């Protein structure tokens, strides 16, 4: 991974983990806890691909395993996020553009459900049966709902930052009107039917108006 990727990913992962432990984990919500760290890994994987997603997921999971108040075996969440990061990276758009909100939403839901199942499965192998006592179905449903509600406020912004740090020409063109404008628009306002063609579209519109004005003046002269 390049240096800018590593610095940005490490910063975002640390910030997400701090918010996860100090804020989200103390909300006392029923069922699972909103997983900001998971959403950060998913967002970066959608930009960097499956290899970068796997590496970021492993590092983020290992940091979560070692950070207090972790009460599980070290490496357990690292394995889970490594697999999730790899799988989410496979859904990276080929052209870097998010044409529809449906794809990222499905990735978030699949990541929330998959991470819960993997975490419970690895826990059963090491003798941790806490998921059975809490209720696995309740955990799956609440994890999917919480992460899906949190995703629109985090995933587009993180993806925009990652693209800007990559010096991606697509990101530069989109971000001229604001950071993450294309991603946020695609995520929050899909299906409006509006299409902005950019500066070229504006020039074509001006040229068409100019030709129409000239035609009108010529017709007026002929009538006289």
């Amino acid at each position: 991974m390049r240096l800018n990727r590593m610095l940005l990913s490490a910063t975002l992962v640390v910030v997400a983990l701090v918010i996860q432990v100090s804020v989200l984990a103390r909300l006392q919500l029923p069922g699972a806890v909103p997983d900001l760290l998971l959403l950060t890994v998913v967002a970066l994987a959608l930009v960097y691909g499956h290899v970068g997603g796997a590496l970021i997921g492993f590092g983020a999971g290992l940091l979560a395993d070692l950070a207090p108040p972790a009460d599980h075996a070290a490496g357990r969440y690292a394995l889970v996020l490594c697999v999730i990061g790899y799988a989410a990276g496979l859904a990276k758009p080929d052209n870097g553009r998010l044409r529809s909100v449906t794809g990222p939403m499905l990735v978030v839901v699949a990541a929330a459900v998959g991470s819960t199942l993997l975490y419970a499965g690895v826990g059963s192998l090491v003798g941790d049966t806490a998921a059975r006592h809490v209720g696995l179905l309740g955990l799956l449903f609440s994890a999917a709902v919480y992460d899906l509600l949190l995703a629109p406020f985090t995933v587009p912004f993180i993806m925009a930052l990652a693209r800007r740090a990559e010096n991606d020409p697509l990101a530069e063109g989109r971000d001229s009107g604001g950071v993450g404008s294309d991603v946020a628009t695609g995520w929050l306002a899909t299906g409006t039917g509006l299409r902005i063609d950019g500066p070229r579209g504006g020039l074509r519109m001006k040229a068409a108006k100019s030709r129409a004005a000239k035609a009108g003046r010529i017709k007026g002269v002929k009538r006289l």
Side-chain angles (χ1 to χ4, degrees):
M1 297 178 66
R2 292 186 294 184
L3 181 60
N4 55 348
R5 287 189 179 188
M6 295 176 63
L7 291 177
L8 178 64
S9 300
T11 302
L12 291 175
V13 165
V14 170
V15 171
L17 182 61
V18 171
I19 297 176
Q20 179 79 29
V21 173
S22 60
V23 178
L24 298 179
R26 299 185 179 184
L27 293 179
Q28 302 297 326
L29 295 174
V33 176
D35 200 338
L36 182 60
L37 192 61
L38 174 68
L39 295 178
T40 302
V41 172
V42 169
L44 292 174
L46 288 174
V47 177
Y48 296 148
H50 58 282
V51 176
L55 294 175
I56 295 171
F58 179 81
L62 186 61
L63 187 61
D65 288 332
L66 300 177
D71 56 354
H72 54 268
R76 180 177 172 183
Y77 203 47
L79 174 61
V80 171
L81 286 188
C82 180
V83 175
I84 295 298
Y86 182 88
L90 295 176
K92 173 187 175 182
D94 295 333
N95 58 358
R97 296 177 181 268
L98 291 177
R99 293 294 185 181
S100 173
V101 68
T102 306
M105 287 178 65
L106 292 177
V107 173
V108 169
V109 173
V113 174
S115 62
T116 304
L117 289 175
L118 284 173
Y119 189 82
V122 175
S124 64
L125 295 178
V126 297
D128 184 1
T129 59
R132 297 179 182 177
H133 301 291
V134 176
L136 185 57
L137 292 179
L139 287 177
L140 292 174
F141 179 77
S142 57
V145 171
Y146 294 154
D147 291 348
L148 193 58
L149 292 176
L150 186 60
F153 305 100
T154 55
V155 174
F157 181 70
I158 293 173
M159 292 180 67
L161 288 178
R163 285 179 177 147
R164 180 176 286 269
E166 281 284 285
N167 294 322
D168 186 356
L170 290 174
E172 292 177 1
R174 289 191 299 270
D175 293 344
S176 59
V179 177
S181 58
D182 178 71
V183 179
T185 302
W187 186 280
L188 299 175
T190 301
T192 58
L194 298 178
R195 182 177 179 181
I196 301 175
D197 292 332
R200 294 183 179 178
L203 292 176
R204 288 196 297 267
M205 182 64 69
K206 290 181 180 179
K209 290 182 179 179
S210 177
R211 289 194 297 268
K214 289 181 180 179
R217 288 197 295 269
I218 293 173
K219 290 181 179 179
V221 171
K222 289 182 177 180
R223 290 176 181 177
L224 292 176

